[in-house]
Amino acid sequence: MYEFTAPFQNPSGSPIRELFKYLGEPGMISFAGGYPASDLFDVDGLKQAAARAYHDPNLCLQYGPTDGLPLLKHQLIQLMARRNVSCEPNEMLVTTGSQQGLDLLLRVLVSPGDVVVTEQPAYPATLQALRLQQAKIVTVPVDAHGIDVARLATLLASGTFARPKLLYTVPTFANPTGATITRERRIALLKLAVQYQFLIVEDDPYGDLRFSGDAVPSILSLASEVDGARDWVVHFASLSKIVAPGLRVGWTIAPTEITRRCVIAKQTVDLCSAPWTQAIAAEYLADGALERHLPRITAMYGRKCEALCNALHAQVGDALEFHRPEGGMFVWARLSESGNGIDASALLQRAIGNKVMFVPGKAFFADNVDAASLRLSFAAPGIADIEEGVTRLKRAYGEVTAGGA
Amino acid sequence: MYEFTAPFQNPSGSPIRELFKYLGEPGMISFAGGYPASDLFDVDGLKQAAARAYHDPNLCLQYGPTDGLPLLKHQLIQLMARRNVSCEPNEMLVTTGSQQGLDLLLRVLVSPGDVVVTEQPAYPATLQALRLQQAKIVTVPVDAHGIDVARLATLLASGTFARPKLLYTVPTFANPTGATITRERRIALLKLAVQYQFLIVEDDPYGDLRFSGDAVPSILSLASEVDGARDWVVHFASLSKIVAPGLRVGWTIAPTEITRRCVIAKQTVDLCSAPWTQAIAAEYLADGALERHLPRITAMYGRKCEALCNALHAQVGDALEFHRPEGGMFVWARLSESGNGIDASALLQRAIGNKVMFVPGKAFFADNVDAASLRLSFAAPGIADIEEGVTRLKRAYGEVTAGGA
């Protein structure tokens, strides 16, 4: 039997994917997944895009350039322009979902022991990627307005850790907190990046999914307002949440030398992401289908979010504290102090018995776990299921408190 | 500007992809690429498979399991059974081309400084992946019958290096040499793996592309003949060379614990390979289309190989030594001793001037570079272009020898 040594000792799978085994149970209502709603996919629009893409079968079937099909990059550059970001082809790399962008970036930038700052709570796959690269993770807490930049400034000034290589954030409708970093904090963050010379890694899969409030520009687009800041921003984006994850089309925008190194790493990793789905994505974007379809997704997510928040407020308002997000897919909640110290894992056990699921917050912490927190996604279930799911959650909560009394 | 440190210092791109800039020159005939022939793609069969796959749009458009769509794995397990390999679903991982399988494997198994043995010459992306993982590369030469197993046994017994973690080989129609390891050597290799407890990593993208001679069983299928050997074999396979690279569908077969760790790494790396192209591949295989179409590809590659070898023999037989491969896509050649020490890079310069390209052999060496060697791929160009290409090669050779005189 093969004897395993470092660097991947005793790995455990994603705590979220671990929950998937319960998804198959009949009648289960899940607030656990980070999946977009299948019933909102633009099935016909994508079918037509696929037919157009196959007018050039060789483009779909042959190897493609490692950095992405030029016609897709052209469309993505136009999409970024609509988001007030200008970028050149040699600053952009198409990846297998934006998640691959992060993995490539960490591999070309981060050595074992290097300091990386993340917001906390944070996306678990990012924490796992940092562990795989053996980074030293430093966390900065998130409040309702995103990462606490004043706290970060204090930490950086204190010199309690080596200069970080990079800071990872989902600044808009964060996973898991749903929070959006304010414009002021974004500017402050950019100034810190220039001052301390670390990269801001902005992961932005949800930014288009705004259903209320005013848009906040991406950190990348704000970089033009801070001298020298553009050199210190890497931006990840994706079609997974706004078109379909099955395309596996994400992209990275980064300074050219970083992009060049990521392209070389990708040559080694997988040569290129699937050209066939890249070609379909390009046709879909060229047709303007995203702009036509996106309002339908955001409107429905807005209604689902409202349904979830209203039901939580009405049914378990005494037990759970939460902020209403202005977009994205997630509500982050805490079991309130009045709850006798019930933790979210105990609640989940009872919840599963009542055929409802969520993700306990501990999955999102690198340290100082808040065991009372939990993440609820409203994206996938229908509105009736959302309301019924909260009723079940209330029942589960009642069982835990009764059991604990 | 970001200051780059280890682990990815001063990277350079693939030496083969570097040559691609010449591909666009009008009239260029290329023996350089490792691309399959576009005109042999089963365009209609894949179109029909795509239509069938989209009967279940959610399967195509939603995230899929990290280890691959179950219906694709079912088809791949049946395909492996036709290749005399039995395997269970938890031994198989679907990857973005087989290249990703190697990258994942190295990440979960190899620490910086670990010894990895490769055949030499070897596939450059493998050498690059080993460097990215900071492995210590030990090379064993290849002859017309594949890797020199007796030499490997001597090296292992000598104790001049630490016990290797693994040995990488393309045993059938190797890239770049076209050589196939004999059955006897495969058995000897399996015995060495058991004795010294290293993994044999068998990369098998070309095995189905046999156009002459008798089939040799894969190392994985022979593992059943050596006690305990199955625990020491990892097998990579791919649809890139036998269906289409644009699907980016490869797969790994490995002992369950290795597979489990690779799946966890892949969760972090890209969550899943494109479900849409996986679904298309599954429909294509389920239909029996591969079995119907493959004879057309192998027959044509056989004719192209014969055309190349005959033309080389007739036109530059005095200058080039080579073996005729029995399958695959590559002819490996050496400028003969009579050639006054001309090296392949010098020949390439003149060749490009004459509108013909190949890959100088140095790209395939980790050490002890053989500058007189070169790789010629017969897969992509048509037969008339192959013959014209060799005529141009002869002209280029004449220019180099005249220049050197």
Side-chain angles (χ1 to χ4, degrees):
Chain A
M1 176 66 185
Y2 192 88
E3 183 189 340
F4 296 93
T5 55
F8 205 55
Q9 198 86 31
N10 303 320
S12 60
S14 154
I16 298 175
R17 293 215 151 204
E18 284 297 302
L19 291 174
F20 285 9
K21 61 188 170 201
Y22 300 110
L23 278 181
E25 293 194 7
M28 179 65 75
I29 294 173
S30 175
F31 298 121
Y35 284 21
S38 291
D39 54 359
L40 291 174
F41 289 146
D42 185 4
V43 172
D44 286 339
L46 285 161
K47 183 178 184 175
Q48 290 162 25
R52 288 194 301 277
Y54 210 66
H55 289 164
D56 185 350
N58 281 353
L59 193 73
C60 298
L61 300 179
Q62 191 53 279
Y63 288 108
T66 302
D67 62 325
L69 291 183
L71 83 174
L72 175 60
K73 291 182 70 170
H74 176 73
Q75 291 299 326
L76 295 175
I77 287 169
Q78 293 191 302
L79 173 60
M80 292 311 298
R82 293 193 291 276
R83 295 177 183 173
N84 295 311
V85 169
S86 70
C87 73
E88 299 296 321
N90 63 357
E91 295 174 297
M92 180 182 277
L93 166 63
V94 175
T95 52
T96 306
S98 55
Q99 189 146 328
Q100 190 188 38
L102 176 65
D103 184 61
L104 292 170
L105 187 78
L106 295 180
R107 290 181 82 175
V108 305
L109 295 185
V110 175
S111 301
D114 279 349
V115 172
V116 171
V117 179
T118 66
E119 56 194 3
Q120 176 152 286
Y123 177 47
T126 295
L127 299 177
Q128 180 84 319
L130 290 170
R131 290 185 196 113
L132 189 57
Q133 203 59 22
Q134 300 173 65
K136 177 172 156 50
I137 302 173
V138 171
T139 61
V140 175
V142 168
D143 62 26
H145 306 293
I147 191 167
D148 185 342
V149 179
R151 171 78 163 273
L152 172 65
T154 306
L155 275 170
L156 289 166
S158 73
T160 50
F161 50 83
R163 182 169 67 82
K165 283 291 181 84
L166 53 90
L167 174 144
Y168 174 87
T169 178
V170 183
T172 308
F173 317 134
N175 181 359
T177 65
T180 295
I181 306 181
T182 61
R183 191 181 204 286
E184 293 67 32
R185 286 193 185 181
R186 289 174 192 231
I187 295 287
L189 202 52
L190 286 161
K191 289 179 176 168
L192 287 173
V194 173
Q195 181 184 349
Y196 289 97
Q197 307 224 316
F198 62 83
L199 287 170
I200 299 171
V201 177
E202 174 180 48
D203 194 355
D204 188 30
Y206 310 109
D208 273 357
L209 299 177
R210 178 174 287 279
F211 40 72
S212 68
D214 296 326
V216 182
S218 69
I219 295 175
L220 180 60
S221 75
L222 289 171
S224 59
E225 301 191 12
V226 176
D227 268 359
R230 178 74 185 234
D231 288 344
W232 299 103
V233 180
V234 174
H235 181 97
F236 298 133
S238 172
L239 298 182
S240 293
K241 306 303 193 287
I242 56 176
V243 181
L247 295 165
R248 306 308 295 125
V249 169
W251 62 100
T252 301
I253 298 167
T256 53
E257 178 59 17
I258 292 175
T259 302
R260 187 184 76 84
R261 288 172 184 239
C262 288
V263 171
I264 292 171
K266 190 169 162 65
Q267 282 178 356
T268 300
V269 165
D270 64 8
L271 275 174
C272 61
S273 297
W276 199 341
T277 60
Q278 288 186 57
I280 295 170
E283 289 293 340
Y284 189 77
L285 294 173
D287 180 53
L290 174 62
E291 282 67 37
R292 288 197 301 277
H293 189 72
L294 194 57
R296 205 180 141 227
I297 299 177
T298 51
M300 182 54 82
Y301 281 3
R303 283 162 55 196
K304 289 182 175 193
C305 180
E306 190 177 14
L308 176 62
C309 292
N310 287 351
L312 289 173
H313 183 73
Q315 300 219 44
V316 287
D318 294 340
L320 278 182
E321 296 162 356
F322 63 92
H323 296 281
R324 286 175 187 250
E326 296 186 333
M329 297 167 46
F330 304 111
V331 170
W332 182 246
R334 281 197 88 244
L335 291 157
S336 54
E337 303 299 335
S338 62
N340 302 320
I342 293 165
D343 89 3
S345 298
L347 179 61
L348 177 63
Q349 284 199 349
R350 295 288 185 163
I352 288 170
N354 282 283
K355 304 280 188 194
V356 63
M357 283 164 64
F358 56 85
V359 182
K362 65 179 181 185
F364 305 93
F365 287 82
D367 53 27
N368 299 320
V369 172
D370 177 4
S373 60
L374 55 145
R375 188 191 77 176
L376 299 152
S377 170
F378 50 80
I383 286 182
D385 275 355
I386 287 173
E387 289 167 350
E388 169 62 19
V390 175
T391 301
R392 295 179 187 179
L393 206 58
K394 179 182 185 176
R395 202 180 310 140
Y397 182 78
E399 291 174 14
V400 186
T401 47
Chain B
M1 176 68 184
Y2 192 89
E3 183 189 338
F4 295 94
T5 55
F8 207 56
Q9 198 86 31
N10 304 321
S12 60
S14 154
I16 298 175
R17 295 215 149 204
E18 284 297 303
L19 291 174
F20 285 8
K21 60 188 170 202
Y22 301 109
L23 277 181
E25 293 193 7
M28 179 66 75
I29 295 173
S30 176
F31 298 120
Y35 284 23
S38 291
D39 55 359
L40 292 175
F41 290 146
D42 184 5
V43 172
D44 286 338
L46 285 161
K47 183 178 184 176
Q48 290 163 24
R52 288 194 301 277
Y54 210 67
H55 289 163
D56 185 350
N58 282 352
L59 192 74
C60 297
L61 300 179
Q62 191 53 277
Y63 288 109
T66 301
D67 62 326
L69 290 183
L71 83 173
L72 175 59
K73 291 183 68 169
H74 176 72
Q75 291 299 326
L76 295 175
I77 286 169
Q78 293 191 301
L79 174 59
M80 291 310 299
R82 293 193 292 275
R83 295 177 184 173
N84 295 312
V85 169
S86 71
C87 74
E88 299 295 320
N90 63 358
E91 295 174 296
M92 179 182 279
L93 166 62
V94 175
T95 52
T96 305
S98 56
Q99 189 146 330
Q100 189 187 37
L102 177 65
D103 184 61
L104 293 170
L105 187 78
L106 295 180
R107 290 181 82 175
V108 305
L109 295 186
V110 175
S111 301
D114 280 349
V115 172
V116 171
V117 179
T118 67
E119 55 195 1
Q120 176 151 286
Y123 177 48
T126 295
L127 299 177
Q128 179 83 320
L130 290 170
R131 291 185 195 113
L132 189 58
Q133 203 59 22
Q134 301 173 65
K136 177 172 156 50
I137 302 173
V138 171
T139 61
V140 175
V142 169
D143 62 26
H145 306 293
I147 192 166
D148 184 342
V149 178
R151 173 78 163 272
L152 172 65
T154 306
L155 276 170
L156 289 166
S158 73
T160 51
F161 51 84
R163 183 169 67 84
K165 282 293 181 82
L166 53 89
L167 174 145
Y168 174 86
T169 178
V170 183
T172 308
F173 316 134
N175 182 358
T177 64
T180 294
I181 306 181
T182 60
R183 191 181 204 285
E184 293 66 31
R185 286 194 186 181
R186 289 173 193 231
I187 295 287
L189 202 52
L190 285 162
K191 288 178 178 169
L192 286 174
V194 173
Q195 181 184 350
Y196 289 96
Q197 307 224 317
F198 62 84
L199 287 170
I200 299 171
V201 177
E202 174 179 50
D203 194 355
D204 188 30
Y206 310 109
D208 274 356
L209 298 177
R210 175 175 288 279
F211 40 73
S212 68
D214 296 326
V216 182
S218 70
I219 295 174
L220 181 60
S221 74
L222 289 172
S224 59
E225 300 190 11
V226 176
D227 266 359
R230 176 75 184 231
D231 287 346
W232 299 103
V233 180
V234 174
H235 181 96
F236 298 133
S238 173
L239 297 183
S240 293
K241 305 304 192 286
I242 57 176
V243 182
L247 295 165
R248 305 308 295 123
V249 169
W251 63 99
T252 302
I253 298 167
T256 54
E257 178 60 17
I258 292 175
T259 302
R260 186 183 77 85
R261 287 170 185 241
C262 288
V263 170
I264 291 171
K266 189 169 163 65
Q267 283 178 357
T268 300
V269 165
D270 64 8
L271 275 173
C272 61
S273 296
W276 200 339
T277 59
Q278 287 186 56
I280 294 169
E283 289 293 339
Y284 189 77
L285 294 173
D287 181 52
L290 175 62
E291 282 67 36
R292 288 197 301 276
H293 189 71
L294 193 57
R296 205 180 140 226
I297 300 176
T298 51
M300 181 54 82
Y301 281 2
R303 283 162 54 196
K304 289 183 176 193
C305 181
E306 190 177 13
L308 176 61
C309 291
N310 288 350
L312 289 173
H313 183 72
Q315 301 219 43
V316 285
D318 293 339
L320 278 181
E321 297 161 356
F322 62 93
H323 295 282
R324 288 176 187 248
E326 297 186 332
M329 297 166 47
F330 304 111
V331 169
W332 182 247
R334 283 198 87 243
L335 290 156
S336 55
E337 303 300 335
S338 61
N340 301 321
I342 293 166
D343 89 4
S345 298
L347 179 60
L348 177 63
Q349 283 198 352
R350 296 287 184 161
I352 288 170
N354 282 283
K355 303 281 189 195
V356 63
M357 283 164 65
F358 56 84
V359 182
K362 65 180 180 183
F364 305 93
F365 287 82
D367 53 27
N368 299 319
V369 172
D370 178 4
S373 60
L374 54 144
R375 188 191 76 176
L376 299 152
S377 170
F378 50 80
I383 286 181
D385 275 357
I386 287 172
E387 289 166 351
E388 169 62 19
V390 175
T391 301
R392 295 179 188 180
L393 206 58
K394 179 182 186 176
R395 201 179 311 138
Y397 182 77
E399 291 174 16
V400 186
T401 47

